[in-house]
Amino acid sequence: MFKVKNSLFFNQKEEVVLIGLYDRPLKFEGELAKLDEAMAGQLTELVKEGDISAKLHATAVIPTLGQVPAKRLLFIGLGKEKQADFHAIKEAIGMAAKQINKLKLSSAAVALDSFVSESVEANDAAHAFSEAFGLASYVFKGYKQLSNEPERLVEQVSIYTEAEAEEVQAALHVGYALSQGTNAARTLVNTPANMMTAADLAEHAKRLADKYGFEVEILEKEDMEKLGMGALLAVNKGSVEPPKMITLKYQPLEEWKDVLGLVGKGITFDTGGYSLKTKDGLVGMKMDMGGAAAVLGAMEIIGELKPDQNVVAVIPSTDNMISGEALKPDDVITSMSGKTIEVLNTDAEGRLALADAMTYAKHHKADYLVDVATLTGGVIVALGTDKTGAITNDEAFLEEVMAASEEAGEFIWQLPLTEKDKERIRSSKMADLNNSPGREGHAIMGGGFIGEFAEGTPWVHLDIAGTADTNKVGAFGPAGATGVMARTLALLAVRKAEK
């Protein structure tokens, strides 16, 4: 996909060359000065006339008309140099990548050194480019009849730079791996529920295992019954689709210790059960396996980057349906941990499935646990649709997760979990726990319930109900699934390995 070249970018035959432009005094420097000279000063004139702008996200496609071998130049404004950090550069590149894709070319190039500044080195720029380009190029084709117009996608990108080619190539690999794992998560979430059952999720996990050499284990309903996974089985009671408990293990180290456990909610469609959702609330519930998608996307990235960190991924998967056998409000069930649960709300099913998954991750010797789930509408009320809510029992571990999320550019905000909150979760007169103590602080109640099954293991809960999909087109892709937290989870593993 990417080929690094240590040569002048405008002396090569390219369909389009992407050039970053910082908002500096009107004077081209270095390669851009040589390019302006080769074009008889026309670029300087276009800047003076406003046809080329360095304002953030301003784009301009300039045909060279044979003055240099490159056919077109695509300028992207990067704004003030002092304000342009890694994430700002990445977003600007995402905007430019969408412009490149509109040109429907099979190849493109980038003048990488034009993105370099005091705070952004060539390797950072390379990482930003490959990640942003991969994310911005994502398309979910859907199921419409194909048009007669031939599809043209960028298949090769030339990276022109004076920096060390091998290091730049490595940075490109990291960025692109992050984008492709995220895009894989997007596709899992975007796929309709009739085509993305628990069995389909399990098959996807098997394909990852085959590709990257992971150990894979798929527990069937009979296995779960033997192990006493009464919480996940209760959610599945109304369904004709069999449940799956999906486990992937990545062990690059000789000893199975210091294990990072990633647990993802895999509810492939959520009707709410007998606590039935509204007509409008049912639409879009195929996205209720966004946590599972994030974990599988993270495992794909981990498979590509191969950090020296043991990881176990556990995904409880089923749909939540209604039938004569379905779970009912007031039922009492027994989880794999032995804790009993009074079910007051069958639409609070994700935390039930995750309860058994948390216990099973501990069964696989997880020393740290991160659960990811489209868990509550309450987190959207609290934080909006651009922030992931977090709850923890270990502040130091949360700091690690938040550092990874900052590197990924995926915003997390911590919610409190107090002893009074825990008292509410344990307030059932019928069982050890109740799954829905009330509307007040619902995001905290849902996360706190899952935390009851961490049982002292350092744990972070991530509620992605607001961030798992978007109705807006952005710099990094179309409306629909975002693949949120796939990069954060993968970078957590990478950072723990480096630490």
Side-chain angles (χ1 to χ4, degrees), residues 338-366:
K339 292 180 180 178
T340 56
I341 303 164
E342 182 182 14
V343 178
L344 301 182
N345 180 0
T346 63
D347 195 21
E349 86 299 329
R351 65 200 70 176
L352 301 179
L354 287 166
D356 282 344
M358 291 276 286
T359 302
Y360 199 57
K362 286 168 63 67
H363 172 79
H364 279 286
K365 310 299 184 186

Side-chain angles (χ1 to χ4, degrees), residues 414-456:
Q414 184 180 3
L415 298 169
L417 179 62
T418 67
E419 287 304 315
K420 287 189 176 180
D421 295 326
K422 295 175 185 178
E423 287 174 12
R424 288 180 63 196
I425 295 164
R426 299 165 184 165
S427 64
S428 171
K429 295 179 181 179
M430 301 290 295
D432 298 318
L433 307 170
N434 82 75
N435 81 326
S436 186
R439 290 173 60 89
E440 300 88 353
H442 188 56
I444 297 171
M445 294 300 103
F449 179 93
I450 297 166
E452 292 291 314
F453 298 86
E455 297 180 329

Side-chain angles (χ1 to χ4, degrees), residues 306-380:
K306 299 177 174 59
D308 287 332
Q309 172 63 48
N310 292 326
V311 181
V312 60
V314 179
I315 294 168
S317 188
T318 178
D319 48 9
N320 183 25
M321 305 297 284
I322 297 174
S323 77
E325 297 181 353
L327 182 68
K328 306 177 296 299
D330 291 337
D331 283 359
V332 174
I333 60 178
T334 303
S335 67
M336 182 185 179
S337 72
K339 292 180 180 178
T340 56
I341 303 164
E342 182 182 14
V343 178
L344 301 182
N345 180 0
T346 63
D347 195 21
E349 86 299 329
R351 65 200 70 176
L352 301 179
L354 287 166
D356 282 344
M358 291 276 286
T359 302
Y360 199 57
K362 286 168 63 67
H363 172 79
H364 279 286
K365 310 299 184 186
D367 296 295
Y368 309 89
L369 290 165
V370 183
D371 80 86
V372 192
T374 49
L375 201 72
T376 65
V379 79
I380 302 173

